[in-house]
Every structure is written in C-alpha cells, then in structure tokens.
Amino acid sequence: MLGILNSYYKYKDSGIPWLGNIPTHWEVRRNRKIFTQRNQTGFPDLPILEVSLKTGVRVRDLNNLKRKQVMSDREKYKRAVKGDITYNMMRMWQGAVGVAPVDGLISPAYIVASPLPEVDSRYYSYLFRTDVYKNEINKYSRGIVSDRNRLYWDEFKQMPSPFPPKDEQKNIADFLDSYSRKVERLILNKRKLIELLNEQKIVVINQAVTKGIDTVQFIKTESNFPWKVEIPPHWDLLRGKQIFQYKKEINNGYKRDNVLSLTLRGVVNNNMENPEGLTPQDYSTYQFFNKGDLVFKLIDLENRQTSRVGLVHENGIMSPAYIRLIPKSSMNIRFFYYQYFDLYLRGIFNQLGAGVRSMLNPSDLLDLPLAVPPLSEQDRITDFLDNALYDLERAVKQTQREINLVEEYLQSLINEVVLGRIDIRHLAVEMNKHTSLLEGIDESESLVGDEHLDIGEEDYEDS
C-alpha cells in the first residue's frame, strides 16, 4: 500500500540517529523552540480533561460512575487551552499524550505544552505517539524503575523533533485526521459485523439445543422455572441434578498434575513453569478434573473477559473456585456443554446469581432445566453445532484479523508521514479529489485470505 505514495524529492541528514534523513526544507528543533510550558491555575469552572492512551485528550465524563472521581480542589488543576499538548508524565513513553479539544483543566501531575505561533500541535500529537519517538521519550524519562519513569518538562524541552513548515504541519495533520476517521469508520463496521456474528452464534446454539435441527411440531412444556421451555414432543425436560452430579476431589496429595484453567478459548493447559503465578504448595486445595467433565466458574458472572462454562478435554487439576459436574449416565457431553453455554449466553446465570460478586451456587446450577433429546439426536445436533460454530468463529477471526491489519497499516502510514518518509502534500491539498487509500474497498468484503489467523487485540487506558 505504501508503495503507491511518493517520497520527497530531496533529503538531508537530520543529525539525529533515530530520525535519519529528513526532507531538505524541514528543520530539527528542540521542543523548547516549539512549545512553552503553561502553568496556569485558578480556573475552577472549566471542564475536566483526561489523557488516554487510546483516545488522546478528551473531556472527562463525570456522570459515568465507573470513572467518577472527587475533585478536592479544582483551583489547583492546570488550565489547558484548546490546541495545547497535554501529557501524562508517567505514561508519555506509552503514548499518553494529545491535543486539548477545548479549554479545560488537567491534573496538576500532568504537563501542559503551549504551541508557538508557527506550530500545529496536531502534527506533534501524531509524532509523539510513534514508536520511534516513544523510545526517545523513555530515554529522557527518569524514575526509580522503568515502568514508573516520568518525563519532566526540563527533559521534554531538550528533546529534538522534526520541524516542517507550519503549512505542511497542517497538511499532514489534516490528511491524517481525515484518513484516521475513514479507518475508524471501517473498523467500526467490522466490529459491528463481529457483534452480528456473535449474536448469530447465540441464535444457532439456542435453536439447536432447545428445538433441534429437524422440522417438527413443537409443544409448549410448562415448568416450575421462571420461563417457559419449548421442546419437541419426544424430548424430555429434566433438572440438571437428574443428569449430573456435583463432585469435588481435593488434591490432598499435593500432586502437581496438569494445571488447567477456563478461558475464552475454553479449558486450556497452563504453562507448567508458572501456572497462574502460584507456588507448588498452593496446589493442595486444587481439585481433580477428568476428560469429559463440565466445568463452571460461577462468580463475577457480569465479567465477560473470560468464559463461565467449559468442557474438559484432558485430565488435570483446577482451582477450587471452579465447579465440576460429571454425567450420571451415558450421554453426548458436548450437547449439554452447548446447552449450559446457551443458558450462560442468554443471561440465565446472571438472573439467578446473587450477592455483590454475582455468584451462582452449585445447587442453583443443578436446578436449571435441561432439554434431553434421544442420544442419537444429541449426536446429530452436536455435529451440526460443531460445524456451524466453526464457520462463524472462522468469520469472526478473519474479521478481527482484518481490523488488526488496517490498524497496523494506519500506524505505519502515520510513522512514514510524520517522519518525512513519504510526501502527502498533493493528497492533503486536494483532499476532496484524493479522499482515501481505503476508497473503493467494500467494507463488507474481506481484506485477507482465509488462511490468516486471529491476532489478539489489547486496549489499555490510563487517565
């Protein structure tokens, strides 16, 4: 993609090893000749601003209870004028920096840098978040340990930065702002597609485990549960305790067997070098699980960062926080795994959970109604779900991969543009004619082939 863009006609040595060659008409300046420090207090009526690694600087939503904070003395907060660069001294090396969108108040522990008249601060916001510049920030930062390093003003002002002419700073910032918005819209549509695919998974599972995959006349089966259950007439409706038993075998022998845990990817075998960060003596309270057992984690049910239902694929030991159910008779255990997973996805666990930590007791779990088709039908339904969910999961992973590729390309483009590797002036000046390199891509189409695997995505914010 970058190959379709041109470099500048002439370059010169910047004299800065990490920066390398820059366009001949660019300069290199210390930050003290680009910004001045703003240390103004006594503006308590201005809105509170926050600095985020993900979104830059924004107005803090004080009505959001999860982020609510008591402002003891707003008089001491620093004033940031619209267009100022503000950064978190402790997280600047991670990219916690941005442009103030409005006049507002910033934490006294943060730095406010006011741009000089010939400076477009948006360009420098992009520059300061590039990997090469963040590496330099880390070198200039000071602290007892590396992850607590602070970039003080005295060090920040000594750092060298590229300095294009102001009109070119504006062109670069305008281009990247416009391009980033188009990428954000593309990613938003991709995320909506992932949501739809995940919703489809819920529908497919629910339909299969409660109504089957054959065309039959359904009857409504009344029960003593908080909801009605529709099942085919030849199916049974039984409580979980009629099918499973709750069993707990404590690892009294302090045996360090395969250590398993329940994740979004299912039940996995932990790294035996350092499973869950525990020491060997901690395994005395662990419990044994066998292949074919169902495992549940019935606390913090609102937390969707990990699953709450799993199927054990190998013998091992697991934390005492897990619940183990074993079948009383011959059955297709995967069918009932899907059925419990359906109950979890539909929020039934949450409805029955109690207490601050939203906890479900084993007795409540075993009291839930389960639809029980004949064993041969359990097998056919399970095969159908295995195939259908494989296809849906594959689509989710491919879409996530596409998101990652677009994000990686955007970051690569930002790096190349702000460091002067490629020239986008012709694109910025005629933005209406040259709108985006993404133009023409159908957002419903895939950008990569089926052979690509999913790469996880992590978001981290610091305010």
Side-chain angles (χ1 to χ4, degrees):
M1 275 182 150
L2 292 178
I4 69 174
L5 297 175
N6 298 320
S7 60
Y8 285 85
Y9 182 64
K10 288 185 178 181
Y11 286 85
K12 65 182 179 182
D13 185 0
S14 68
I16 307 297
W18 64 265
L19 184 55
N21 293 332
I22 58 174
T24 53
H25 62 288
W26 286 25
E27 302 176 30
V28 175
R29 293 186 181 182
R30 301 284 180 183
N31 284 340
R32 67 173 179 270
K33 294 186 177 181
I34 303 175
F35 300 95
T36 59
Q37 187 178 20
R38 189 188 298 278
N39 265 325
Q40 297 175 341
T41 57
F43 297 85
D45 296 330
L46 293 176
I48 299 293
L49 303 178
E50 63 183 1
V51 182
S52 164
L53 290 177
K54 184 178 180 181
T55 58
V57 180
R58 61 187 177 184
V59 177
R60 171 168 289 186
D61 180 9
L62 295 178
N63 294 321
N64 188 331
L65 295 179
K66 291 183 178 180
R67 304 182 66 84
K68 196 166 185 179
Q69 180 177 338
V70 177
M71 305 300 176
S72 58
D73 192 351
R74 294 169 69 116
E75 291 278 353
K76 295 180 180 179
Y77 275 64
K78 293 180 181 179
R79 178 193 182 208
V81 175
K82 181 179 179 180
D84 284 350
I85 288 282
T86 64
Y87 70 82
N88 180 339
M89 286 192 294
M90 289 180 57
R91 299 297 182 189
M92 178 66 163
W93 62 277
Q94 292 177 303
V97 60
V99 179
V102 296
D103 290 6
L105 299 179
I106 204 74
S107 167
Y110 292 2
I111 296 294
V112 180
S114 177
L116 294 176
E118 65 270 29
V119 174
D120 190 317
S121 54
R122 294 176 301 150
Y123 165 81
Y124 286 95
S125 178
Y126 282 113
L127 174 68
F128 294 159
R129 293 165 76 98
T130 61
D131 288 339
V132 289
Y133 204 94
K134 286 188 292 185
N135 287 337
E136 291 303 302
I137 289 171
N138 198 35
K139 294 176 184 178
Y140 277 79
S141 300
R142 294 185 285 115
I144 299 176
V145 292
S146 60
D147 64 348
R148 305 294 287 180
N149 278 349
R150 290 174 170 83
L151 181 66
Y152 296 96
W153 171 259
D154 286 343
E155 281 67 43
F156 171 77
K157 71 180 183 181
Q158 297 299 327
M159 294 185 65
S161 297
F163 189 83
K166 184 175 182 179
D167 61 343
E168 195 166 346
Q169 295 176 32
K170 181 180 184 303
N171 286 343
I172 290 172
D174 287 344
F175 172 78
L176 292 177
D177 284 350
S178 176
Y179 192 86
S180 296
R181 284 192 294 269
K182 290 174 173 62
V183 168
E184 288 169 3
R185 287 197 293 271
L186 174 61
I187 290 175
L188 178 62
N189 287 336
K190 293 294 182 183
R191 293 198 191 283
K192 287 180 179 178
L193 175 58
I194 289 177
E195 290 178 7
L196 291 174
L197 291 169
N198 286 328
E199 289 172 5
Q200 182 65 18
K201 284 164 56 178
I202 297 174
V203 172
V204 168
I205 294 173
N206 177 254
Q207 174 75 23
V209 299
T210 61
K211 298 178 175 61
I213 56 177
D214 298 321
T215 302
V216 296
Q217 294 296 320
F218 297 108
I219 61 171
K220 285 188 176 181
T221 302
E222 299 289 342
S223 70
N224 296 323
F225 304 102
W227 62 91
K228 293 179 180 179
V229 182
E230 286 186 341
I231 60 173
H234 63 289
W235 288 22
D236 292 323
L237 185 65
L238 303 175
R239 294 180 184 270
K241 61 187 175 185
Q242 296 176 270
I243 309 170
F244 295 96
Q245 61 176 318
Y246 169 50
K247 191 170 185 179
K248 196 167 189 176
E249 294 181 76
I250 302 299
N251 183 26
N252 292 321
Y254 297 82
K255 181 181 179 182
R256 183 171 176 172
D257 208 334
N258 288 339
V259 180
L260 311 175
S261 63
L262 180 59
T263 71
L264 286 175
R265 294 180 289 116
V267 178
V268 299
N269 193 325
N270 282 353
N271 186 334
M272 294 301 293
E273 296 299 320
N274 187 27
E276 298 183 7
L278 301 177
T279 54
Q281 59 265 31
D282 292 314
Y283 297 111
S284 62
T285 60
Y286 271 44
Q287 53 183 320
F288 289 109
F289 278 77
N290 294 323
K291 180 179 179 181
D293 292 343
L294 290 178
V295 57
F296 303 82
K297 191 171 184 180
L298 301 180
I299 59 175
D300 295 330
L301 296 173
E302 299 290 344
N303 179 8
R304 291 305 178 103
Q305 297 305 308
T306 185
S307 182
R308 292 294 180 263
V309 184
L311 178 61
V312 180
H313 298 285
E314 61 178 311
N315 296 346
I317 59 174
M318 299 185 74
S319 163
Y322 293 121
I323 302 299
R324 176 191 181 193
L325 295 188
I326 62 175
K328 290 183 175 181
S329 58
S330 178
M331 64 177 68
N332 188 317
I333 193 67
R334 288 188 62 79
F335 173 83
F336 291 97
Y337 157 72
Y338 280 129
Q339 192 162 171
Y340 273 119
F341 192 57
D342 170 60
L343 294 172
Y344 166 64
L345 291 177
R346 290 193 289 125
I348 303 301
F349 287 8
N350 299 59
Q351 293 177 26
L352 299 178
V356 176
R357 300 190 67 186
S358 184
M359 182 172 65
L360 185 65
N361 294 318
S363 58
D364 296 323
L365 179 68
L366 289 169
D367 215 30
L368 290 173
L370 297 175
V372 185
L375 182 58
S376 60
E377 197 168 349
Q378 294 177 28
D379 294 338
R380 289 194 296 112
I381 292 172
T382 300
D383 290 342
F384 166 80
L385 284 175
D386 287 345
N387 293 326
L389 296 181
Y390 173 81
D391 291 339
L392 289 169
E393 276 295 333
R394 187 181 184 187
V396 168
K397 289 181 178 182
Q398 181 172 320
T399 305
Q400 183 60 57
R401 174 60 175 166
E402 292 165 5
I403 291 174
N404 294 337
L405 288 176
V406 171
E407 289 178 331
E408 290 168 9
Y409 177 74
L410 174 60
Q411 191 56 54
S412 175
L413 179 65
I414 291 172
N415 292 344
E416 298 294 294
V417 170
V418 299
L419 297 176
R421 309 288 189 259
I422 56 177
D423 184 0
I424 51 78
R425 287 175 296 179
H426 62 293
L427 296 178
V429 171
E430 300 184 48
M431 190 65 71
N432 291 332
K433 295 181 181 179
H434 304 274
T435 55
S436 171
L437 298 180
L438 290 179
E439 190 174 41
I441 293 179
D442 184 348
E443 294 178 357
S444 66
E445 294 180 355
S446 297
L447 298 178
V448 296
D450 291 343
E451 71 276 13
H452 290 286
L453 298 177
D454 179 30
I455 297 178
E457 182 180 70
E458 295 182 359
D459 290 333
Y460 172 75
E461 292 190 2
D462 178 78
S463 300

